[in-house]
């Protein structure tokens, strides 16, 4: 923690204190439910060992996702009351649009019901069969939406990003040499756009440096390829740049965010993350012609351009939340608390993706459970065990999510990493909840040799992790 506390603009205020405090007080509470181990065992059986199939009221600490699970602030709730539900021209839209133009700097802004709707519209307009879309790492819905158009999604992460134990300040960076090579290999004409996911969710919640955004932007501009940023966790990425990149320590997160987006031609965003909202997203760019096509598709599938599938009140919550996510006291607490969880488990031998990311800690299940081979799903086994132990729900990001099953032979290809993500909802859990999670993980770690693998008993052809059913291996 010391490294984080000792840097940045809040140094003078917070450095003497070591205790992490939530920079808010609690105004409304929601009970969570304790269950017995026997109850959890039976819930697991009913859910066929897929925690997506559990009822959330049977979960004590829900770290399945940080998406749409944020606690909203009193200012957001106040803004919600101001929400104007007019079908066309609502002032709530104009507040939403103004906030996005102010922070992201793009001219054309369309609300969508969530991030993947923005992705679908963007790729439907820009991609055709045979195209190739590079990224540092595409999130799963991004990849699926690209592939749905017949284009190919390619991940060009730096090699350090694929090595869980390697320490690097910006493990989310794109390999720019690989990008140049890809452009030379497939030709500029088959690359309708390039993406950067900040922070890099699937690659461990790791940040992308400003230098890397700039390098990717320079290459893209030289070849006339539009660069889009997947901005789901843009505020956390901006804060990592402030903490770790020379020259940014005295810059505010909003200034850093503006610089980052000035290097891009557009953005998609799931506002369910750093928008601090429970639903929503947007697509933004400066391209008039593309915007016109996006508007037409938006009207067809999402709604009129001044609401785009959201209620006016949602637009208000996002307009306020986008700024709250950039507040330094909030970001300091957020990153410090996530780091605390990572440090406390790794100090006791639990292998995690190093260094800790912004929104989540990723346990390296392949390293923790080396006796379970990838095709026996070590990540899934650990996810099941965390629920069984303490009612904690995490998510597997490994072979269940990213492995491939040959539709003809049924042969499985494992993913490149077997991770378990503990995603931290924003402003929801307190430090004592974090301590409870630490204790539970260490208990599971202590009896890791007893943990067995799993196999699929049912799976869907795409995005199988949501609905798959599993059986425990003997
Ligand atoms: N991009 C990134 C980087 C994401 O993490 C997500 C969602 C999306 C796009 C899609 O946005 O859910 O609003 O449609 N990530 C969630 C998660 C689901 O749990 O990480 P959406």
């Amino acid at each position: 923690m010391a490294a984080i506390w000792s840097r940045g603009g809040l140094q003078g205020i917070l450095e003497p204190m070591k205790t992490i405090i939530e920079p808010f007080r609690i105004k409304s509470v929601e009970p969570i439910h304790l269950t017995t181990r026997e109850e959890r065992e039976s819930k697991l059986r009913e859910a066929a060992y897929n925690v997506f199939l559990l009822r959330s009221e049977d979960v004590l600490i829900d770290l399945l996702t940080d998406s749409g699970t944020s606690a909203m602030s009193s200012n957001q709730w106040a803004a919600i009351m101001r929400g104007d539900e007019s079908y066309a021209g609502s002032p709530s839209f104009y507040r939403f649009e103004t906030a996005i133009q102010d922070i992201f700097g793009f001219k054309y802004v369309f609300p969508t019901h969530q991030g993947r709707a923005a992705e679908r519209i963007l790729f439907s307009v820009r991609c055709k069969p045979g195209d190739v879309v590079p990224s540092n790492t595409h999130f799963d819905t991004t990849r699926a939406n690209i592939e749905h158009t017949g284009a190919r999604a390619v991940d060009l992460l730096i090699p350090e990003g694929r090595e869980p134990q390697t320490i690097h300040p910006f493990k989310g960076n794109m390999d720019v040499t690989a990008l140049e090579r890809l452009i030379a290999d497939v030709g500029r004409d088959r690359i309708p756009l390039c993406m950067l996911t900040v922070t890099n969710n699937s690659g461990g919640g790791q940040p992308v440096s400003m230098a890397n955004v700039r390098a990717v932007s320079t290459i893209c501009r030289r070849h006339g390829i539009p660069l889009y940023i997947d901005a789901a966790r843009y505020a956390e990425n901006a804060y990592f740049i402030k903490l770790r990149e020379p020259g940014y320590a005295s810059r505010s997160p909003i200034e850093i965010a503006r610089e980052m987006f000035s290097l891009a031609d557009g953005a998609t965003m799931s506002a369910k993350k750093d928008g601090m909202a429970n639903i929503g997203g947007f697509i933004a760019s400066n391209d008039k012609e593309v915007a016109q096509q996006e508007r037409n598709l938006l009207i067809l599938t999402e709604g009129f351009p001044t609401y785009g599938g959201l209620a006016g009140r949602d637009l208000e919550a996002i307009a306020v939340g986008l700024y709250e996510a950039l507040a330094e006291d909030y970001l300091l607490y957020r990153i410090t608390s996530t780091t605390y969880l990572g440090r406390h488990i790794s100090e006791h031998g639990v292998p995690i993706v190093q260094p800790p990311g912004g929104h989540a800690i990723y346990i390296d299940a392949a390293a923790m459970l080396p006796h379970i081979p990838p095709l026996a799903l070590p990540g899934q086994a650990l996810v099941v065990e965390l629920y069984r132990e303490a009612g904690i729900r995490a998510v597997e990001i490994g072979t269940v999510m990213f492995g491939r099953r040959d539709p003809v032979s049924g042969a499985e290809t494992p993913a490149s990493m077997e991770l378990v993500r503990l995603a931290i909802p924003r402003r929801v859990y307190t430090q004592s909840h974090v301590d409870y999670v630490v204790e539970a993980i260490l208990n599971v770690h202590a009896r890791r040799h007893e943990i067995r693998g799993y196999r699929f008993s049912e799976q869907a052809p795409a995005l199988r992790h949501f609905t798959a059913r599993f059986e425990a291996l003997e």
Side-chain angles (χ1 to χ4, degrees), residues 184-235:
D185 285 353
V186 307
R188 180 264 163 266
D189 291 345
R190 283 179 56 205
I191 306 181
L193 75 159
C194 175
M195 304 249 345
L196 272 177
T197 311
V198 304
T199 57
N200 185 27
N201 184 3
S202 315
Q206 300 292 328
V208 178
S209 70
M210 190 72 82
N212 191 249
V213 180
R214 184 169 291 106
V216 171
S217 170
T218 304
I219 295 171
C220 287
R221 286 187 178 164
R222 183 162 4 103
H223 292 277
I225 298 169
L227 172 62
Y228 274 69
I229 293 181
D230 176 338
R233 299 178 181 84
Y234 78 101

Side-chain angles (χ1 to χ4, degrees), residues 78-111:
I80 277 175
M81 287 308 294
R82 205 172 50 190
D84 179 301
E85 305 302 341
S86 302
Y87 190 94
S90 161
S92 300
F93 169 74
Y94 293 106
R95 280 189 279 271
F96 173 87
E97 182 187 51
T98 303
I100 292 164
Q101 288 171 338
D102 178 39
I103 299 168
F104 299 83
F106 298 116
K107 195 164 169 194
Y108 303 103
V109 175
F110 300 118

Side-chain angles (χ1 to χ4, degrees), residues 65 114-116 119 139 141 197 201 230 233 270 273 421:
T65 180
Q114 59 185 82
R116 67 197 71 184
E119 291 164 3
F139 182 66
T141 59
T197 311
N201 184 3
D230 176 338
R233 299 178 181 84
S270 168
K273 285 83 170 173
R421 182 181 77 169

